[in-house]
Amino acid sequence: MKKTLSWKFLSLLVVTVIAGYYLFPTLSGRSSLPSLLPPLLPRAERLNLGLDLQGGMHLVLEVVTEKAVENTVDRLIAELRREAEKENIPVERMTREGLDRIRIKLQAKEGLEGLRRILKNYSNLQQSGGADPAELVLSLAPGEMKRLQESAVRQSLETIRNRVDQFGVAEPHIVQEGDQRIVVQLPGIKEPQRAINLIGKTALLEFKLVAEDANVAEAVGGKVPEGDELLYMRGTNEQEKTSKVPLVVQKRAVLTGDLLTSAQVQINSQTNEPVVSIEFDREGARLFGEATAANVGRRLAVVLDDTVYSAPVIREKILGGKAQISGRFTTEDARDLAIVLRAGALPAPVNIISNLTVGPSLGLDSVEKGVRAAILGGVLVIAFMAVYYKLSGVIANLALLLNLIWLVGALASLRATLTLPGIAGIILGIGMAVDSNVLILERIREELRLGKTVRSAIDGGYDKAFLTIIDSHVTTLITAFALFLFGTGPVKGFAVTLSLGVIFNLVTALTGTRVVYDWMTQRWNLKTLSI
Amino acid sequence: MIEILGKTRIDFVAWRRVAFVVSSVLCLLGIVSIIQIGRGAANLGIDFAGGTSVQLKFSKSVDLSQVRALLAENGLKDSEPQQFAGGDRIMVRLKRADSGQIGMAQRVQDIFSKGLPDNPFVVEGTNEVGPAIGKDLQKAALWAIAISMLGIIAYIAWRFEFKFGVAAAIATLHDVLAVLGLFMLLNREITLLIVTALLTLAGYSLTDTVVVFDRIRENLRGRRKESLGEVINMSINEVLSRTIVTSLTVLLVLLALFVLGGEVLHDFSLALIAGVCVGTYSSWFVASPIVYEWRTWERAKLQAPVKVKAKG
């Protein structure tokens, strides 16, 4: 009996010490604990506060995955057209229909055989005949569409993470949610609008030849020649107003940004304005050289996300794969542009579907008020218990304290993020802890009223309260589990804190206080109990 | 020992008819507010309905009518500017109709920095939610409630009896509905934090019910001559002091949060305070009486198989 008691006491102590270890950085205000015992214990770090508590930005992005599929199919069309040209198969028309279908019409049905030979190398395409004998309809193989969409979301996530890292945000949190959503959390961010621009930009960089022979006025009216497209050039006038100059360019890009190796901000010595200078890899440099050599005297448009930044005249063949993007940037604009170019383009555009920004002052204010209120509430409860149940109330208070230390310690060790709903979970957990203790104490009182001895009243009280406590805790766990499965973000946090609180509470209420009573009854021969 | 209550002999079961009327009204209110939510007519926070809210802290106190005029001038007529104590803090809310797209928060800020150039402000918070998110949240919340109800019925049915499980689930649902209805009456905004409060009170109310049920089960075992109604009354009276002590302590914390917790926690703690009161009421007057009615009805059916229409 004595031996098991000290074992129980020891294990409670060990758990509390571990919880205290994890709590230390949070309480002492240090960001992390100096690694005293690096090989033995994992690093303890300060408890993360949610954005509602410390301020920051919470973005939910939806990746337009259909666009990624369209882009892939468009790329396939361009590739097929090139191969058909190589094999001398005269193509009348090759167009994308809907999301993933390609309709190819040849000038003569004799070419079909050659086309089928080419298609043998495209296992991701499925063929079916068209209405016309010279027609062929292709579509993506089953499963291919889903794979493309999934990889688009994954790539977007990587790219956004890259951009945020280069932008420099402490402890960003970027995760996928559901099939096509990405959640970005940036704690403590000061320029939310800049961050949105940085994250939401597709950043597809293209170099396109200006179609000088096209009639711009007609194109604006809606008559764009086939193979060309109408774009607008970013304002370059002296006033601050952004003007839009229409420009017709060839649809086919000479070169795209995916062959970039670096992008840096430089100051143009002539205009004294910041520009972004970029550099291509060897393949890019070769393509750039060829394209410029073949088009000396023509204008080359620098296009980012369908906006023309500049369209300088090619004066000579450009070797070495270096180019510049200018366009009346502020230094910050230029820096952010360099970041997105380095991090690469998003495979598909993203839409921001939710943006929650909490200023640091509001967050701090609500933390301070919340903490002050919670402390007062806690003190009231502790005082009430001590007055109402006397010594037994004090013992129960010890269990409550233990429960709180364990719970917050566990949250810190799990690197959980504490949010307002999370605090609600803690409050409910403490409420349940109070309830368990009250249940036990009331049962002990009942037993004492029946005239039992202190020892057997304590045993009887715990035994009878046991099942009730188990039942009420398990039902709460069931609700918490359902919330965890179906809840999002903050509700999930609530579920986690609540479940932890419930589990710890089972231990502290049922064994934590009992250790004290057992110790008391063994030590002294109690005739009466202060309850 | 200090006792709030001595031995009590309150006849809870006798009050069940009155309680059923009261509860029906409460539930009806809740159902109406759910219908309102479904129709989009409820005062849903923008995290559910979609829209934009911007909270600004100006360096000097601002005139609300001027703010309203500025917004209207700039084509945001349906916005609801709100002023907080002190007069220097303003919250502008735009429901979905006004702001289909993200970026409205910036527009609101631009309006004020141009319109009130001599009164600079800091942005305390913005929230922009597209409509798709709100729909998803609503669906997730409904699923969570449905699954947890089933789980609770299953567990209590296994530990006690099927009737007890159903009664506990009904009582819990009743409490959530009642507080939801109360919020509709007070025209408080239903936000994600309020939903969390509803779930919290569901957990609390359930615990309360289970404690009473546990005592009923215990007393049913040792029962000799007492009727079911007497056992139920006895059980509720026996756990009465526990219920009151627990509710009081929880209320102490909640009142502290309500008074001192600041705006963010204000509605949240209000919901929980209402929840504790309704939850305590329902475990006395809803959950156990349902078990009572159900058992009596079943008994009558068994004893008089000819008379199918038994009256409870």
Side-chain angles (χ1 to χ4, degrees):
Chain A
M1 184 72 186
K2 256 217 157 100
K3 204 167 178 188
T4 56
L5 189 61
S6 41
W7 269 114
K8 274 183 190 164
F9 183 75
L10 199 69
S11 32
L12 287 175
L13 192 73
V14 166
V15 178
T16 310
V17 166
I18 293 175
Y21 170 79
Y22 279 111
L23 270 179
F24 183 73
T26 309
L27 295 179
S28 66
R30 284 182 213 177
S31 62
S32 74
L33 203 64
S35 40
L36 293 171
L37 313 155
L40 288 176
L41 279 168
R43 252 154 63 94
E45 276 170 35
R46 196 206 271 257
L47 186 61
N48 278 333
L49 292 182
L51 296 182
D52 48 353
L53 297 180
Q54 68 159 328
M57 189 172 202
H58 178 108
L59 290 176
V60 183
L61 310 167
E62 195 158 60
V63 182
V64 187
T65 50
E66 291 81 10
K67 192 74 193 156
V69 176
E70 279 180 15
N71 287 344
T72 310
V73 175
D74 283 344
R75 243 190 336 267
L76 280 169
I77 290 176
E79 221 174 292
L80 283 174
R81 189 171 267 149
R82 251 196 321 273
E83 293 218 28
E85 251 169 53
K86 233 191 275 170
E87 300 281 319
N88 284 324
I89 304 167
V91 176
E92 195 182 293
R93 223 176 33 244
M94 196 186 283
T95 47
R96 175 167 56 79
E97 281 184 346
L99 206 58
D100 74 324
R101 281 182 358 143
I102 305 172
R103 187 177 288 272
I104 305 174
K105 185 154 193 296
L106 300 180
Q107 279 167 10
K109 70 174 196 283
E110 282 69 40
L112 274 182
E113 223 170 286
L115 190 62
R116 289 220 166 89
R117 250 198 323 273
I118 295 172
L119 285 170
K120 280 209 178 90
N121 296 325
Y122 291 85
S123 58
N124 54 348
L125 285 174
Q126 257 183 346
Q127 306 175 27
S128 56
D132 197 294
E135 233 180 28
L136 202 61
V137 177
L138 305 173
S139 58
L140 287 177
E144 185 69 7
M145 174 120 75
K146 196 166 178 342
R147 199 190 57 81
L148 280 175
Q149 291 181 330
E150 278 169 5
S151 89
V153 176
R154 218 173 29 243
Q155 267 184 51
S156 304
L157 190 97
E158 270 322 303
T159 307
I160 289 171
R161 188 170 285 153
N162 251 324
R163 289 179 187 179
V164 171
D165 281 349
Q166 295 194 27
F167 186 59
V169 176
E171 299 178 50
H173 187 66
I174 302 167
V175 290
Q176 186 175 340
E177 192 180 83
D179 278 346
Q180 45 177 324
R181 284 189 188 158
I182 295 174
V183 174
V184 180
Q185 286 189 343
L186 308 173
I189 190 132
K190 293 203 182 57
E191 296 161 287
Q193 198 54 42
R194 213 177 135 198
I196 287 188
N197 290 340
L198 188 83
I199 291 168
K201 201 175 251 163
T202 312
L204 177 63
L205 178 68
E206 293 164 306
F207 290 86
K208 290 178 170 178
L209 283 168
V210 176
E212 310 283 5
D213 48 342
N215 186 331
V216 176
E218 263 183 22
V220 174
K223 265 183 67 184
V224 185
E226 210 187 311
D228 289 349
E229 64 183 334
L230 177 71
L231 295 178
Y232 288 90
M233 181 130 87
R234 223 170 98 109
T236 49
N237 58 346
E238 290 307 311
Q239 288 91 10
E240 230 185 90
K241 277 184 190 158
T242 48
S243 67
K244 284 177 165 181
V245 183
L247 201 67
V248 179
V249 300
Q250 288 182 358
K251 224 177 202 168
R252 203 169 76 84
V254 168
L255 193 61
T256 55
D258 51 348
L259 300 172
L260 263 170
T261 54
S262 81
Q264 243 95 41
V265 180
Q266 283 180 343
I267 303 292
N268 184 323
S269 51
Q270 278 151 27
T271 59
N272 230 354
E273 273 178 7
V275 292
V276 179
S277 70
I278 52 177
E279 209 167 309
F280 289 104
D281 62 6
R282 266 180 51 193
E283 168 73 1
R286 189 181 62 78
L287 284 172
F288 202 47
E290 276 174 16
T292 46
N295 295 291
V296 172
R298 294 187 67 178
R299 289 207 287 161
L300 186 66
V302 182
V303 185
L304 184 74
D305 293 343
D306 289 339
T307 301
V308 179
Y309 275 69
S310 59
V313 177
I314 304 169
R315 301 205 192 283
E316 58 194 338
K317 177 178 178 179
I318 302 175
L319 293 167
K322 281 184 185 157
Q324 265 187 359
I325 306 172
S326 57
R328 296 186 58 80
F329 298 122
T330 64
T331 319
E332 275 170 9
D333 278 348
R335 194 180 83 100
D336 293 350
L337 181 59
I339 289 176
V340 292
L341 289 177
R342 272 200 304 266
L346 295 178
V350 292
N351 289 332
I352 296 173
I353 52 174
S354 162
N355 163 17
L356 172 73
T357 309
V358 181
S361 59
L362 185 69
L364 202 67
D365 195 40
S366 43
V367 173
E368 270 173 13
K369 281 186 176 153
V371 166
R372 217 182 306 147
I375 288 176
L376 179 76
V379 168
L380 286 175
V381 169
I382 285 175
F384 176 83
M385 292 291 281
V387 170
Y388 193 74
Y389 292 113
K390 299 194 196 110
L391 180 62
S392 303
V394 174
I395 296 171
N397 282 335
L398 283 178
L400 295 186
L401 201 65
L402 213 58
N403 199 13
L404 191 64
I405 293 173
W406 287 13
L407 181 54
V408 185
L411 288 178
S413 79
L414 288 174
R415 299 281 200 86
T417 304
L418 194 62
T419 60
L420 276 178
I423 290 179
I426 295 181
I427 291 174
L428 181 61
I430 298 296
M432 293 202 60
V434 172
D435 187 49
S436 311
N437 282 293
V438 171
L439 276 168
I440 294 168
L441 295 176
E442 288 291 323
R443 282 290 193 168
I444 296 179
R445 279 183 168 191
E446 276 176 42
E447 300 287 304
L448 286 173
R449 270 192 216 110
L450 292 175
K452 296 203 176 151
T453 64
V454 170
R455 180 69 245 175
S456 66
I458 290 171
D459 287 342
Y462 274 95
D463 285 349
K464 287 189 171 159
F466 182 77
L467 280 181
T468 312
I469 292 173
I470 295 275
D471 282 340
S472 67
H473 281 61
V474 172
T475 43
T476 307
L477 266 184
I478 292 173
T479 1
F481 187 64
L483 288 183
F484 185 79
L485 280 184
F486 294 100
T488 49
V491 176
K492 239 184 185 130
F494 170 76
V496 171
T497 16
L498 181 58
S499 325
L500 284 174
V502 164
I503 293 166
F504 290 145
N505 188 34
L506 276 177
V507 183
T508 51
L510 291 177
T511 61
T513 49
R514 196 159 190 184
V515 169
V516 182
Y517 286 115
D518 286 349
W519 176 74
M520 275 175 21
T521 46
Q522 272 177 25
R523 185 94 197 247
W524 301 293
N525 185 18
L526 290 180
K527 289 276 182 282
T528 56
L529 185 65
S530 166
I531 191 167
Chain B
M1 44 186 119
I2 307 175
E3 281 177 85
I4 290 179
L5 294 167
K7 212 166 165 54
T8 50
R9 284 184 170 279
I10 303 168
D11 191 354
F12 289 98
V13 175
W15 284 90
R16 67 185 189 282
R17 295 287 153 79
V18 181
F20 284 159
V21 173
V22 173
S23 293
S24 308
V25 173
L26 287 177
C27 286
L28 210 65
L29 269 178
I31 290 167
V32 168
S33 63
I34 283 188
I35 292 172
Q36 292 290 79
I37 290 171
R39 285 179 50 217
N43 187 4
L44 281 183
I46 60 168
D47 27 7
F48 284 109
T52 303
S53 80
V54 181
Q55 192 171 330
L56 305 171
K57 187 177 162 83
F58 288 88
S59 34
K60 289 182 293 210
S61 156
V62 280
D63 181 16
L64 194 60
S65 58
Q66 200 185 348
V67 166
R68 218 173 262 133
L70 259 178
L71 289 167
E73 257 167 51
N74 287 282
L76 301 175
K77 276 195 207 64
D78 296 328
S79 57
E80 311 158 20
Q82 206 185 333
Q83 197 160 24
F84 293 118
D88 55 344
R89 286 165 74 201
I90 296 280
M91 161 99 91
V92 179
R93 233 175 302 203
L94 304 161
K95 288 281 163 79
R96 191 171 24 183
D98 277 337
S99 61
Q101 78 283 23
I102 301 295
M104 288 304 263
Q106 190 60 38
R107 200 172 135 195
V108 171
Q109 290 168 39
D110 291 345
I111 290 173
F112 286 121
S113 50
K114 286 214 184 81
L116 301 167
D118 51 341
N119 194 356
F121 58 83
V122 289
V123 183
E124 289 205 308
T126 66
N127 192 359
E128 300 179 289
V129 183
I133 295 255
K135 279 268 170 306
D136 281 6
L137 278 180
Q138 286 181 24
K139 225 181 354 187
L142 285 178
W143 267 110
I145 289 173
I147 293 288
S148 55
M149 286 296 142
L150 284 179
I152 288 158
I153 293 178
Y155 178 78
I156 298 183
W158 169 60
R159 293 277 300 137
F160 298 80
E161 208 180 299
F162 180 64
K163 294 186 194 73
F164 283 78
V166 174
I170 290 176
T172 307
L173 208 57
H174 161 272
D175 298 346
V176 173
L177 286 176
V179 175
L180 204 59
L182 180 79
F183 263 61
M184 185 189 65
L185 282 186
L186 295 174
N187 199 25
R188 297 287 170 135
E189 209 182 31
I190 295 166
T191 60
L192 200 57
L193 202 58
I194 296 302
V195 172
T196 318
L198 291 178
L199 298 165
T200 311
L201 76 89
Y204 179 84
S205 131
L206 195 63
T207 306
D208 234 28
T209 307
V210 168
V211 169
V212 174
F213 279 2
D214 217 65
R215 195 53 87 102
I216 294 176
R217 178 177 56 179
E218 187 182 319
N219 287 334
L220 276 177
R221 259 190 227 124
R223 142 197 198 194
R224 283 175 217 99
K225 51 186 191 308
E226 296 95 340
S227 70
L228 179 66
E230 281 164 348
V231 170
I232 288 177
N233 275 334
M234 193 171 86
S235 310
I236 299 178
N237 277 300
E238 277 172 7
V239 293
L240 204 57
S241 54
R242 168 266 157 197
T243 307
I244 286 171
V245 170
T246 299
S247 301
L248 268 182
T249 47
V250 175
L251 278 179
L252 279 179
V253 178
L254 292 177
L255 281 173
L257 283 182
F258 182 74
V259 177
L260 298 175
E263 278 135 34
V264 183
L265 291 176
H266 202 265
D267 281 7
F268 176 75
S269 35
L270 179 69
L272 284 180
I273 288 172
V276 168
C277 299
V278 186
T280 309
Y281 154 84
S282 76
S283 56
W284 293 340
F285 293 106
V286 179
S288 313
I290 287 178
V291 172
Y292 176 80
E293 289 284 350
W294 194 339
R295 276 210 169 183
T296 329
W297 173 76
E298 206 177 53
R299 197 112 141 266
K301 209 172 62 175
L302 280 178
Q303 282 173 353
V306 195
K307 268 200 269 173
V308 182
K309 267 192 187 171
K311 282 181 184 163

